[in-house]
Amino acid sequence: MVSDLLDAVRAGSRVPRHVAIVMDGNGRWAEGRGLARHLGHGEGMKAVRESVEASLAAGVEILTLFAFSTQNWKRPEAEVRALMEALRTYARKESAELAASGVEVRVLGEVERLNAASRDAVRHIEEVTGGGSELRLNLMVSYGGREELVRAVRSMARRAGDGLLDPGSIDADLLEGALYTAGLPDPDLLVRTSGEQRISNFMLWQLAYTEIHITATLWPDFDRGDFYAALLDYQRRERRFGEVGTG
Ligand code: FPP
């Protein structure tokens, strides 16, 4: 039962502070039912709700969801529209409840590429949920890991060019401070659904020592039981960060 899984997580050694998810398999979920691909994205919002609620119940502090990649702009226009519509629907329907649960939402990525209606939705969900202290929910939208690194390097180069930064002082901490995730700990656990074994340009810097859990479940079918199973898998791992184990 799902409550037994949650009890097992709570009884376990440590709950990951930061969980990141590549929500994959929406298209296949829809195609497998003879439906248009975009209907899978709408259905995927249920799995988002399940993951948020499971994070709150388990005591995860930060949940980061890959909602739309820089590369997704190249998908057929109707699908891009459906994904943006999903974002707007999420902001309209869930903001109040997220705020009431203490979830602070931030949308990270090239938000300036979104159209005016989607940017309004982003502003709305960030405003309504601002200050929530139970869970930080990062929605990665128009996000790519390489693009994020290029942006960070460009901002440092600009400051160096303006004489505000000594290039010799550039180190890992400074670079981290120029990423969208500045101030947040790296993900402890990365979950990827639908069985694909790829990073897909997601959080390339931040995932350096992250444990990876891959499940064959397609994203729209992913529920809180699957989320707790991923946390239990994480609790069985020995994290070494490149050092030798503790035995
Ligand atoms: C990958 O499935 C999933 C995406 C590209 C988008 C994920 C978006 C959502 C779950 C809905 C929006 C969520 C929020 C919070 C607004 P895919 O289409 O690549 O699936 P496939 O690999 O089966 O084709």
Side-chain angles (χ1 to χ4, degrees):
M1 259 170 63
V2 172
S3 60
D4 294 338
L5 287 173
L6 177 58
D7 288 345
V9 168
R10 287 196 178 130
S13 49
R14 59 213 175 337
V15 172
R17 286 184 72 192
H18 186 173
V19 177
I21 308 184
V22 178
M23 311 184 284
D24 198 11
N26 294 348
R28 273 166 285 166
W29 184 92
E31 281 162 6
R33 283 166 178 73
L35 304 169
R37 285 177 55 83
H38 71 267
L39 295 174
H41 301 313
E43 200 65 22
M45 285 208 281
K46 283 189 198 152
V48 171
R49 209 170 301 129
E50 288 279 313
S51 300
V52 167
E53 283 170 16
S55 295
L56 285 165
V60 168
E61 292 170 40
I62 305 157
L63 177 66
T64 298
L65 303 178
F66 202 1
F68 188 91
S69 74
T70 314
Q71 289 67 33
N72 285 158
W73 287 113
K74 295 193 196 116
R75 290 193 176 193
E77 202 190 318
E79 193 171 341
V80 171
R81 213 178 311 121
L83 283 162
M84 289 297 147
E85 177 62 32
L87 175 66
R88 291 195 296 272
T89 305
Y90 188 73
R92 193 173 60 242
K93 289 203 176 155
E94 312 265 337
S95 291
E97 199 179 321
L98 289 166
S101 308
V103 180
E104 177 172 62
V105 180
R106 294 292 309 279
V107 179
L108 306 181
E110 304 158 315
V111 175
E112 64 281 0
R113 285 184 73 177
L114 274 51
N115 69 19
S118 299
R119 287 201 306 274
D120 280 351
V122 168
R123 207 171 306 124
H124 174 72
I125 197 167
E126 289 191 338
E127 257 170 40
V128 171
T129 64
S133 56
E134 293 299 314
L135 174 71
R136 160 80 175 254
L137 173 62
N138 297 318
L139 299 179
M140 309 306 265
V141 174
S142 189
Y143 171 85
R146 287 185 172 179
E147 289 76 5
E148 176 183 43
L149 285 166
V150 168
R151 177 178 172 273
V153 169
R154 195 180 291 137
S155 83
M156 290 188 298
R158 202 169 284 138
R159 284 167 58 206
D162 290 345
L164 300 169
L165 174 67
D166 168 12
S169 73
I170 294 175
D171 59 8
D173 286 344
L174 203 82
L175 195 138
E176 256 168 35
L179 300 177
Y180 290 119
T181 51
L184 299 178
D186 291 339
D188 302 292
L189 172 66
L190 173 72
V191 176
R192 181 159 188 155
T193 56
S194 90
E196 303 293 348
Q197 303 184 23
R198 284 190 293 276
I199 298 290
S200 297
N201 199 21
F202 190 45
M203 302 183 90
L204 294 179
W205 175 277
Q206 299 91 330
L207 294 176
Y209 291 104
T210 300
E211 297 294 327
I212 302 179
H213 172 88
I214 293 171
T215 170
T217 304
L218 302 176
W219 179 249
D221 292 327
F222 189 85
D223 62 15
R224 66 192 74 200
D226 297 307
F227 191 94
Y228 298 142
L231 299 190
L232 288 169
D233 181 24
Y234 169 83
Q235 288 178 333
R236 289 190 288 268
R237 309 282 179 89
E238 184 203 354
R239 302 192 72 191
R240 294 206 294 266
F241 299 94
E243 299 175 22
V244 291
T246 50

